């Protein structure tokens, strides 16, 4: 216990004491404190204690030789009697007017006008029955639990803050890459124009030079022939050619003189330069997680509906929209399983680009602001099974990478730089470079028992669907099943990854004719949304725009619903 105290050194020596005499220390002298007064809350050496006993005969004094009753042994416990504002002073009174404990400095400085100030002995005696100890104890336990919960929440918030920080850093890098790629594109276009103009002008100069040399050669030949003694007819022919060639040379010279000194200059795009100069950042950083302001269990109800045709001239079948994602600028990316392709839609839902895939795309998830991952697979494992990583740039879909898998790939979800993929019988966790982390869950009782997958925004809950039995299972991050919810509305006539977890945590499971909003625990249907087109195959909900987008199996239209949210009671 003594090691927790500040050691003092005797003046003029190298002797250290655990406790010094309070009186001597005021005079700058360091003598060992051997006695402690429990009333004055001071320590005394063997000389000063004699004077203290004469002045305060009724004060209780303990000596160092008393063992556990000695001041040093009980100092930590005694600190409860110290004033929190004047830390060197002992609490001696209680103010009922302000319900505060007081030391003599508190009384002198702030409570001199108070009418109900009592000594602690008086207050303890009068209030012995008024403060229910059991109730206070329960309140202490409750407060401790709430504080511990808050500490745990703080730890979770630190993890969440780190994850959001890393995500925003990646988004900033994405934004910078996008700007760099756009600048590279502008540079290449400008250089191509420069090269075209340079080539055209250079060829023109070279052609004119060549014609000049040809004219010089012909005029030289014709001039020499005129000096020769030739027949009159040949002289006339030569003379005529000289006149024609001289006229052609004059025209050539006039044109060349007009174009002489042709130069090219570069005029910068001042609007582009000014636009960059006017910007102070790549975007705004908003303090506070919007997720905290959104209750993912609020009921989402649909209102107005709009339909948009997404079939293109190259499609050979009716569309089957099995995946929907959005970019940060509001464009949509959709997977069309029947036509083995991914399509890019602008904000007016017009298809502006399309890329073919080797076989059926089954599900899609966002990786970053402009990147997405698509599962591509047949119904059995072969060389085509894998995850295709795509990027949207400048109104085009760019193929980035293909991660080959040794199993069928249906559902896919992404969180914390990892992807979760279903095979019909198991759920796997992979790194973003395709390395297997572990098999999280398996149900090998039959095919299509583990098809759809979604992950909560904080990564704590994983949802998987069983198409055959209409089951939604909720798992922890380590694969432990925490809820199993079976409902006929969860059954679907096609083997699709029929689940969507929105960016704010709302959970949607869709069946043959409806979309069910399920609570985040995975135990209750909060709302059922009926759709007038059979077999919804994909859903995307955007809390910011309040829009619910639905794609269907074997139908060329996608539906956009305006929504409103109401709290659950």
């Amino acid at each position: 216990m003594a090691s927790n105290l500040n050691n003092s050194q005797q003046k003029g020596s190298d002797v250290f004491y655990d406790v010094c005499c309070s009186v001597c220390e005021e005079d700058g002298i360091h003598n060992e404190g051997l006695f402690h007064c429990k009333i004055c809350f001071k320590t005394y050496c063997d000389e000063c204690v004699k004077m203290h006993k004469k002045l305060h005969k009724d004060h209780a004094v303990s000596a160092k030789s008393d063992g556990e009753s000695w001041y040093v042994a009980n100092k930590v416990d005694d600190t409860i009697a110290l004033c929190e504002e004047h830390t060197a002073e002992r609490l001696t009174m209680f103010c009922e007017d302000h319900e505060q404990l007081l030391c003599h400095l508190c009384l002198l400085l702030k409570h001199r006008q108070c009418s109900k100030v009592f000594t602690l002995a008086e207050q303890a005696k009068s209030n012995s029955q008024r403060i229910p100890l059991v109730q206070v104890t329960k309140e202490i336990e409750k407060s401790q639990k709430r504080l511990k919960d808050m500490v745990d929440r703080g730890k979770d918030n630190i993890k969440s803050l780190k994850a959001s920080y890393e995500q925003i850093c990646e988004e900033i890098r994405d934004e910078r890459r996008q700007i760099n790629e756009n600048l590279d594109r502008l540079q290449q276009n400008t250089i191509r124009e420069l090269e075209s103009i340079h080539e055209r002008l250079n060829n023109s100069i070279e052609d004119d030079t060549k014609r000049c040399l040809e004219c010089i050669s012909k005029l030289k030949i014709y001039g020499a022939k005129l000096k020769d003694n030739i027949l009159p007819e040949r002289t006339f022919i030569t003379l005529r050619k000289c006149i024609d060639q001289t006229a052609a040379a004059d025209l050539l010279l006039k044109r060349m003189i007009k174009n002489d000194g042709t130069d090219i200059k570069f005029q910068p795009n001042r609007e582009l330069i000014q636009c960059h100069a006017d910007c102070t950042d790549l975007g705004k950083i908003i303090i506070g997680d919007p997720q905290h302001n959104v209750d993912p269990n609020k009921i989402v109800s649909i209102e107005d509906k709009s339909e948009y045709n997404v079939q293109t001239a190259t499609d050979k079948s009716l569309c089957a929209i099995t995946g929907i994602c959005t970019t940060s600028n509001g464009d949509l990316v959709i997977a069309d399983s029947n036509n083995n392709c991914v399509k890019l839609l602008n904000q007016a839902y017009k298809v502006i680009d399309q890329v073919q895939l080797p076989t059926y795309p089954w599900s899609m998830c966002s990786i970053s602001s402009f990147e997405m991952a698509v599962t591509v697979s047949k119904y059995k494992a072969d060389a085509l099974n894998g995850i295709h990583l795509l990027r949207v740039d400048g109104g085009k879909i760019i193929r980035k990478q293909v991660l080959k898998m040794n199993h069928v790939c249906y559902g896919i979800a992404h969180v914390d730089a990892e992807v979760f993929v279903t095979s019909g019988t198991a759920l796997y966790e992979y790194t973003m470079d395709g390395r297997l982390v572990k098999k999280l869950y398996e149900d090998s009782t039959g095919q299509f028992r583990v098809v759809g997958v979604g992950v909560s925004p904080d990564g704590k809950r994983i949802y998987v669907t069983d198409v055959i039995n209409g089951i939604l299972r909720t798992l922890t991050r380590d694969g432990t099943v925490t809820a199993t919810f079976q409902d006929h509305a969860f059954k679907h006539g096609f083997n699709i990854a029929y689940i969507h977890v929105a960016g704010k945590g709302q959970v949607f499971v869709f069946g043959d004719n409806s979309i069910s909003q399920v609570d985040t625990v995975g135990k209750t249907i909060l709302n059922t949304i009926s759709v007038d087109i059979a077999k919804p195959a994909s859903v995307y909900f955007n809390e910011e725009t309040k829009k619910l987008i639905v794609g269907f199996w074997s139908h060329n239209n996608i539906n956009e619903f305006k929504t409103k949210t109401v709290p659950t009671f």
Side-chain angles (χ1 to χ4, degrees), residues 118-371:
F118 304 95
T119 65
L120 292 181
E122 292 172 336
Q123 194 68 18
K125 184 177 180 180
S126 63
N127 287 308
S128 60
Q129 302 301 321
R130 291 169 56 189
I131 303 178
L133 184 59
V134 175
Q135 182 179 343
V136 172
T137 303
K138 288 182 178 180
E139 289 298 324
I140 290 174
E141 292 174 354
K142 186 185 295 185
S143 295
Q144 286 178 320
K145 184 180 183 305
R146 290 174 63 189
L147 289 169
K148 185 180 182 303
D149 290 343
M150 191 57 67
V151 169
D152 293 339
R153 183 174 175 181
K155 293 177 181 178
D156 292 339
N157 287 342
I158 288 174
K159 292 180 181 178
S160 176
L161 182 63
K162 182 182 179 183
S164 63
Y165 168 82
E166 292 173 349
Q167 180 182 349
I168 290 173
C169 284
E170 183 59 32
E171 289 178 0
I172 292 172
R173 286 190 287 267
D174 270 346
E175 196 73 20
R176 176 60 185 269
R177 280 194 291 267
Q178 184 82 5
I179 293 172
N180 288 346
E181 289 167 3
N182 285 332
L183 290 175
D184 289 342
R185 176 175 56 81
L186 296 177
Q187 176 181 327
Q188 291 166 5
N189 291 344
T190 308
I191 289 175
R192 275 197 295 269
E193 183 182 7
L194 171 64
E195 289 173 345
S196 175
I197 294 172
H198 173 267
E199 184 180 6
R200 176 168 55 82
L201 293 175
N202 188 74
N203 291 341
S204 177
I205 293 171
E206 287 181 349
D207 289 345
D208 289 343
T209 302
K210 183 179 179 181
R211 290 191 183 96
C212 281
L213 293 174
E214 289 174 352
C215 283
I216 291 170
S217 177
K218 288 180 179 179
L219 289 172
K220 184 178 181 181
I221 293 171
Y222 296 155
K225 287 186 178 295
L226 286 175
K227 294 178 182 179
D228 293 342
N229 189 14
I230 57 177
L231 295 174
E233 292 87 352
R234 292 182 65 84
T235 301
F236 178 76
I237 292 172
T238 304
L239 182 63
R240 187 70 256 175
K241 285 190 175 182
C242 281
I243 293 171
D244 292 343
Q245 191 62 50
T246 301
D250 287 341
L251 289 174
L252 178 62
L253 286 170
K254 287 179 181 179
R255 184 165 59 81
M256 291 183 67
I257 290 171
K258 183 179 180 181
N259 297 327
D260 188 34
T262 299
D263 200 0
I264 53 178
K265 296 180 180 179
F266 175 63
Q267 182 177 344
N269 187 338
R270 296 296 176 187
E271 291 183 3
L272 178 63
I273 295 171
Q274 189 61 46
C275 177
H276 282 279
D278 290 342
C279 294
T280 58
D281 48 49
L282 292 178
K284 297 300 180 185
I285 307 300
I286 301 172
I287 299 175
D289 186 356
Q291 178 66 25
H292 291 165
N293 301 322
V294 177
D295 179 6
N297 290 319
K298 281 186 176 180
I299 292 174
V300 178
S301 61
I302 60 174
E303 295 182 325
D304 297 337
K305 181 186 79 170
S306 301
E307 288 190 347
Y308 301 93
N309 190 300
V310 294
Q311 190 178 40
T312 64
T314 58
D315 290 345
K316 297 179 180 179
S317 304
L318 288 173
C319 300
I321 309 305
T322 54
I324 303 174
C325 284
T326 185
T327 64
S328 62
N329 64 0
D331 292 340
L332 283 182
V333 183
I334 61 174
D336 185 344
S337 184
N338 278 354
N339 292 296
N340 297 349
C341 67
V342 170
K343 301 174 181 178
L344 174 62
L345 282 62
N346 61 18
Q347 295 182 43
Y349 293 93
K350 180 182 178 181
V351 179
I352 57 176
D353 195 30
Q354 180 171 328
V355 295
Q356 292 300 125
L357 298 172
T359 188
Y360 313 117
W362 290 108
S363 183
M364 180 188 294
C365 70
S366 294
I367 299 298
S368 67
S369 302
F370 291 92
E371 295 179 343

Side-chain angles (χ1 to χ4, degrees), residues 318-322 337-338 360-362 379 492 494-496 533-538 551-557:
L318 288 173
C319 300
I321 309 305
T322 54
S337 184
N338 278 354
Y360 313 117
W362 290 108
Y379 288 100
H492 202 287
F494 289 91
N495 177 40
I496 59 171
I533 301 176
K535 305 294 188 296
S538 56
F552 300 91
W553 189 269
S554 296
H555 202 286
N556 291 331
N557 288 351

Side-chain angles (χ1 to χ4, degrees), residues 419-470:
V419 289
F420 302 86
V421 184
T422 63
S423 67
T425 58
L427 170 67
Y428 299 92
E429 181 178 356
Y430 288 95
T431 61
M432 283 305 300
D433 57 2
R435 289 179 290 111
L436 177 65
V437 178
K438 61 180 174 179
K439 183 191 292 184
L440 282 170
Y441 176 77
E442 186 173 21
D443 182 351
S444 56
T445 58
Q447 276 293 326
F448 314 135
R449 299 300 196 272
V450 187
V451 179
V453 60
V455 183
S456 62
D458 60 9
K460 292 182 178 180
R461 292 190 180 98
I462 304 173
Y463 307 93
V464 293
T465 56
D466 177 339
V467 171
I468 302 301
N469 299 301

